[in-house]
Amino acid sequence: MTKVDRRVARTQEAIKKAFLELMSEKNFDSITIQDISDRANINRATVYLHYLDKFDLLDKIIEEHISNMANLCELETEMDWIESTVQCMKYLESNYLFFSTMLASGGARYFRNRFVQHNIEEFKKDVDITKGINFGQSEDVVVEFVANAYVGVVEWWLKNGMPYPPQEMAEKVGKLLERNL
């Protein structure tokens, strides 16, 4: 594993935080690299040392979180739905600025699609159409239904300021997943 210079990591975090704050305040199309650098209190050229442009920055942030979610799902393979959902809800809570901004922002339209696609891939591992409640159903339909329902509930939870704590929300969602998978 390559060791990352702490100054580089700090700078990248400042850039990402500034960018997400700006996205929560205004449309993606109106954000400039100068806006990002001003908010992060760094030189504009420093942003370009780390990212090609704001599209590259957005892509890298999205990929980082999708990758983190995938890694979290790998760790959760031995857990039941409720336990694994608790971990997911805690991750969503600890990255509230990112997820709430991405799901609420018109500037990151394709994030929701990426998030749904990630969940489709994860739920596909657990769908069994050979028995139980989903016997005879189309696997594609079941997986699409569950993934979109899950993302919709997460979106509602975040947009409403997380009205339930992660543990309670995970129990509610976990029970729904158990019923449908």
Side-chain angles (χ1 to χ4, degrees):
M1 188 169 155
T2 308
K3 188 174 181 181
V4 178
D5 184 316
R6 284 186 287 179
R7 292 171 295 176
V8 170
R10 250 193 323 267
T11 300
Q12 288 176 341
E13 283 306 310
I15 292 168
K16 289 186 269 189
K17 183 176 185 279
F19 180 65
L20 289 172
E21 287 173 355
L22 287 164
M23 281 195 67
S24 72
E25 296 168 13
K26 58 189 195 176
N27 188 297
F28 174 79
D29 294 332
S30 65
I31 297 171
T32 65
I33 294 296
Q34 188 64 54
D35 293 335
I36 297 166
S37 64
D38 288 347
R39 179 69 60 99
N41 199 26
I42 58 173
N43 189 300
R44 191 170 158 236
T46 304
V47 176
Y48 287 114
L49 285 174
H50 299 277
Y51 305 99
L52 298 173
D53 53 25
K54 68 182 183 180
F55 299 98
D56 182 46
L57 172 57
L58 180 60
D59 285 342
K60 291 229 171 47
I61 293 172
I62 289 172
E63 286 309 312
E64 176 185 331
H65 284 284
I66 295 294
S67 176
N68 290 345
M69 293 290 286
N71 291 337
L72 192 58
C73 289
E74 285 300 312
L75 296 172
E76 297 168 349
T77 55
E78 300 302 315
M79 298 179 192
D80 69 20
W81 282 112
I82 295 173
E83 291 172 322
S84 66
T85 307
V86 167
Q87 298 308 309
C88 289
M89 292 298 163
K90 286 181 178 179
Y91 182 80
L92 294 167
E93 178 190 44
S94 66
N95 293 281
Y96 176 78
L97 177 61
F98 170 76
F99 286 102
S100 63
T101 299
M102 289 298 113
L103 291 170
S105 171
R109 291 174 204 101
Y110 64 92
F111 170 74
R112 189 177 198 283
N113 292 334
R114 285 284 290 119
F115 193 41
V116 168
Q117 192 58 43
H118 161 73
N119 283 288
I120 287 171
E121 291 165 19
E122 293 304 321
F123 289 129
K124 229 177 225 186
K125 298 172 188 174
D126 297 303
V127 168
D128 184 357
I129 58 168
T130 63
K131 61 184 181 218
I133 194 168
N134 293 321
F135 178 74
Q137 290 286 339
S138 161
E139 180 182 35
D140 291 336
V141 172
V142 173
V143 170
E144 283 286 335
F145 173 78
V146 173
N148 278 285
Y150 176 78
V151 171
V153 169
V154 165
E155 190 172 25
W156 169 86
W157 184 59
L158 293 168
K159 283 182 177 179
N160 287 287
M162 298 182 296
Y164 301 102
Q167 179 75 34
E168 185 179 344
M169 189 64 182
E171 288 170 9
K172 292 176 184 307
V173 172
K175 286 178 183 173
L176 291 169
L177 289 172
E178 281 181 330
R179 285 185 206 160
N180 289 288
L181 289 175

